[in-house]
Amino acid sequence: MISSVGRLNKPVLYGYYRSSCSWRVRIALALKGIEFEQQAINLIKDGGQQLTEQYKAINPMQQVPALSIDGITLSQSLAIIHYIEETRPEPRLLPADPKQRAQVRMICDIITSGIQPLQNLYVIQKIGTEKVQWAQHFINRGFDALEPILKKTAGQYCVGDEISMADICLVPQVYNAERFKVDMSPFPTMRRINQSLCEIEAFKVSHPSCQPDTPDDLRA
Amino acid sequence: MISSVGRLNKPVLYGYYRSSCSWRVRIALALKGIEFEQQAINLIKDGGQQLTEQYKAINPMQQVPALSIDGITLSQSLAIIHYIEETRPEPRLLPADPKQRAQVRMICDIITSGIQPLQNLYVIQKIGTEKVQWAQHFINRGFDALEPILKKTAGQYCVGDEISMADICLVPQVYNAERFKVDMSPFPTMRRINQSLCEIEAFKVSHPSCQPDTPDDLRA
């Protein structure tokens, strides 16, 4: 059963351990120090728990993540992260400078509109054959664009030296790339930033290998 | 030849008359009353002008739109629109209330991540057969989710009675749906809002039927 209200009024994240979009929200909540409950929506079990009528009432797109917070339920990871940013501003996930903010959002959108939707489970299932090649193609196309952009915008992280929404999107996408065995050697900037970010506590505690619904054999 | 600097320092929009993502930016610029120049990037001609090395330097994703403004060049329509909103706040394209802002962004992201990327020209070209059915499937899936959301959030427009980024995303997506002959009868809320918006000057002047690069036989 899906419980729709968190005990003690904590936000409730409806997610799946391995979903890169769920991971984005987990990172943002961890960076902000927001305690939350997790409600696992298993995208494989029972033919996909996201497809139940009960979950459809939470997110009509029948995807994860969704977040119940402050009396509303939101879907779409970037919209959720923007809401968290606007209501819990510290530490900030967007730079102060409008041009840098634009660069952060451009990097986010390349990943969230230009890469992830084309290699997610639902779409891959609709492709008849060559599922892995399809995913690799769209990840490589996006990374070919991201690498020269990051070369210009990056400091220690994607845009300058502050962790931003761009970093929140980058790490789960690199994780997906590795699952699809994409050769990361042409993307040294991305690899360097990803390695730095993976050492940070908020990225570690939110990792797919250590969530409540992570299967035992995949547990770190 | 692509000229990269606008005369008189006007912003330069690299776009294509029929691209729904280009249309989003044209609407935002029109609503804000920002004069701009257009540089047509024909996605069909010469095998796709977005694929040239010259355009790749402007947008490494080799997609439209891109906007040169205030000395920087941005891609990804929503990132561009957010930049315009943050640097030219009037009239606002996001509500003041954070929960309403979240609803606007959720609707935007359903369209920009959940629908458009899966029915755009590049992806459709990669599908072997059943191109139209593929596009219809993903548009219907997204509209099935949008309709109940809009029933809750809409006033005169997508969220309440103020035009927002959600409306900017809605109208070009409905235009795409009509191109792919999607039956709009199950989506009365969407149809009503779309009809209201299509009467507004900023949506009219930015329409694909009246751009500098619109072919004569498609001109309104």
Side-chain angles (χ1 to χ4, degrees):
Chain A
M1 206 189 104
I2 300 173
S3 76
S4 62
V5 178
R7 281 161 299 198
L8 307 170
N9 282 331
K10 278 186 201 167
V12 177
L13 176 66
Y14 302 90
Y16 182 51
Y17 74 102
R18 205 164 55 181
S19 140
S20 64
C21 302
S22 303
W23 189 8
R24 292 176 197 152
V25 176
R26 293 196 301 262
I27 299 168
L29 291 165
L31 285 167
K32 297 280 189 182
I34 300 167
E35 286 189 43
F36 63 103
E37 290 183 20
Q38 297 206 40
Q39 177 73 51
I41 305 296
N42 192 312
L43 303 186
I44 311 288
K45 209 171 138 186
D46 313 329
Q49 294 177 342
Q50 76 282 13
L51 302 176
T52 62
E53 283 303 310
Q54 204 181 0
Y55 187 69
K56 194 177 180 180
I58 292 166
N59 180 2
M61 274 297 269
Q62 301 179 283
Q63 295 174 329
V64 290
L67 186 72
S68 289
I69 186 169
D70 302 342
I72 55 169
T73 301
L74 297 170
S75 62
Q76 298 297 320
S77 61
L78 265 192
I80 293 170
I81 294 168
H82 267 99
Y83 177 78
I84 296 170
E85 174 75 358
E86 293 186 345
T87 55
R88 281 93 169 157
E90 298 298 328
R92 69 182 181 205
L93 301 178
L94 283 170
D97 174 62
K99 290 180 184 174
Q100 283 199 314
R101 293 164 75 89
Q103 289 171 331
V104 167
R105 289 196 176 104
M106 179 173 65
I107 294 164
C108 289
D109 289 353
I110 289 172
I111 294 170
T112 64
S113 294
I115 305 176
Q116 193 281 332
L118 293 156
Q119 53 93 86
N120 83 3
L121 182 66
Y122 182 83
V123 172
I124 293 292
Q125 283 171 342
K126 271 194 78 76
I127 306 294
T129 53
E130 303 184 344
K131 293 175 203 294
V132 172
Q133 289 92 325
W134 172 278
Q136 286 178 343
H137 171 81
F138 283 102
I139 294 171
N140 274 313
R141 182 183 73 139
F143 282 10
D144 282 340
L146 274 179
E147 179 68 19
I149 289 172
L150 289 171
K151 255 187 200 139
K152 286 186 198 162
T153 61
Q156 195 176 352
Y157 304 119
C158 283
V159 178
D161 296 320
E162 267 182 37
I163 293 175
S164 73
M165 292 184 194
D167 302 295
I168 289 175
C169 293
L170 182 74
V171 169
Q173 187 59 58
V174 172
Y175 171 83
N176 280 352
E178 288 167 351
R179 283 183 61 206
F180 285 113
K181 305 198 189 310
V182 168
D183 175 13
M184 289 296 294
S185 64
F187 314 116
T189 313
M190 216 176 305
R191 282 170 63 199
R192 171 183 65 77
I193 298 168
N194 183 65
Q195 278 170 10
S196 300
L197 290 164
C198 285
E199 295 302 311
I200 291 167
E201 190 63 14
F203 290 78
K204 281 187 187 173
V205 297
S206 58
H207 193 278
S209 65
C210 57
Q211 299 312 301
D213 59 330
T214 307
D216 284 342
D217 56 325
L218 298 177
R219 206 161 268 284
Chain B
M1 204 191 105
I2 300 173
S3 76
S4 62
V5 179
R7 279 162 301 202
L8 305 171
N9 281 333
K10 278 187 202 167
V12 177
L13 176 66
Y14 303 90
Y16 182 52
Y17 73 103
R18 205 165 57 179
S19 141
S20 64
C21 303
S22 302
W23 189 7
R24 292 176 197 153
V25 176
R26 293 197 301 262
I27 299 168
L29 291 165
L31 285 168
K32 297 280 189 182
I34 300 167
E35 286 190 44
F36 63 104
E37 291 184 17
Q38 297 205 42
Q39 178 72 52
I41 306 296
N42 192 312
L43 303 187
I44 311 286
K45 209 172 139 185
D46 313 329
Q49 295 176 342
Q50 77 281 14
L51 302 176
T52 62
E53 283 303 309
Q54 205 180 0
Y55 187 69
K56 194 177 179 180
I58 292 166
N59 180 2
M61 275 296 271
Q62 300 178 286
Q63 295 174 328
V64 289
L67 185 73
S68 290
I69 185 168
D70 301 341
I72 54 170
T73 301
L74 295 170
S75 63
Q76 299 295 321
S77 60
L78 266 192
I80 293 170
I81 294 168
H82 267 100
Y83 177 77
I84 296 169
E85 174 73 358
E86 293 186 344
T87 55
R88 282 91 168 159
E90 296 301 326
R92 67 180 181 207
L93 301 178
L94 283 170
D97 173 61
K99 290 179 185 175
Q100 283 199 313
R101 293 164 74 89
Q103 289 172 331
V104 167
R105 289 195 176 107
M106 180 173 65
I107 294 164
C108 289
D109 289 352
I110 288 172
I111 295 170
T112 64
S113 294
I115 306 177
Q116 194 280 333
L118 293 157
Q119 54 93 88
N120 83 1
L121 182 66
Y122 182 83
V123 172
I124 293 292
Q125 283 171 341
K126 269 195 78 76
I127 307 293
T129 53
E130 304 183 342
K131 294 176 202 294
V132 173
Q133 290 92 323
W134 172 280
Q136 286 178 343
H137 170 82
F138 283 103
I139 294 171
N140 274 314
R141 183 184 72 139
F143 282 11
D144 282 339
L146 274 179
E147 179 68 18
I149 289 172
L150 290 171
K151 255 187 199 139
K152 287 186 198 162
T153 62
Q156 195 175 353
Y157 305 119
C158 283
V159 177
D161 297 320
E162 267 182 36
I163 293 174
S164 71
M165 292 183 194
D167 302 295
I168 289 175
C169 293
L170 183 74
V171 169
Q173 186 59 59
V174 172
Y175 170 84
N176 279 353
E178 288 166 350
R179 283 183 61 208
F180 285 113
K181 304 196 189 312
V182 169
D183 174 14
M184 288 297 292
S185 64
F187 314 116
T189 313
M190 217 176 302
R191 282 169 64 199
R192 171 183 64 76
I193 299 167
N194 184 65
Q195 277 170 12
S196 300
L197 289 164
C198 285
E199 296 302 311
I200 293 169
E201 190 63 15
F203 290 78
K204 281 185 185 171
V205 296
S206 57
H207 193 279
S209 66
C210 57
Q211 299 312 302
D213 58 330
T214 307
D216 284 342
D217 55 328
L218 299 177
R219 208 162 265 284

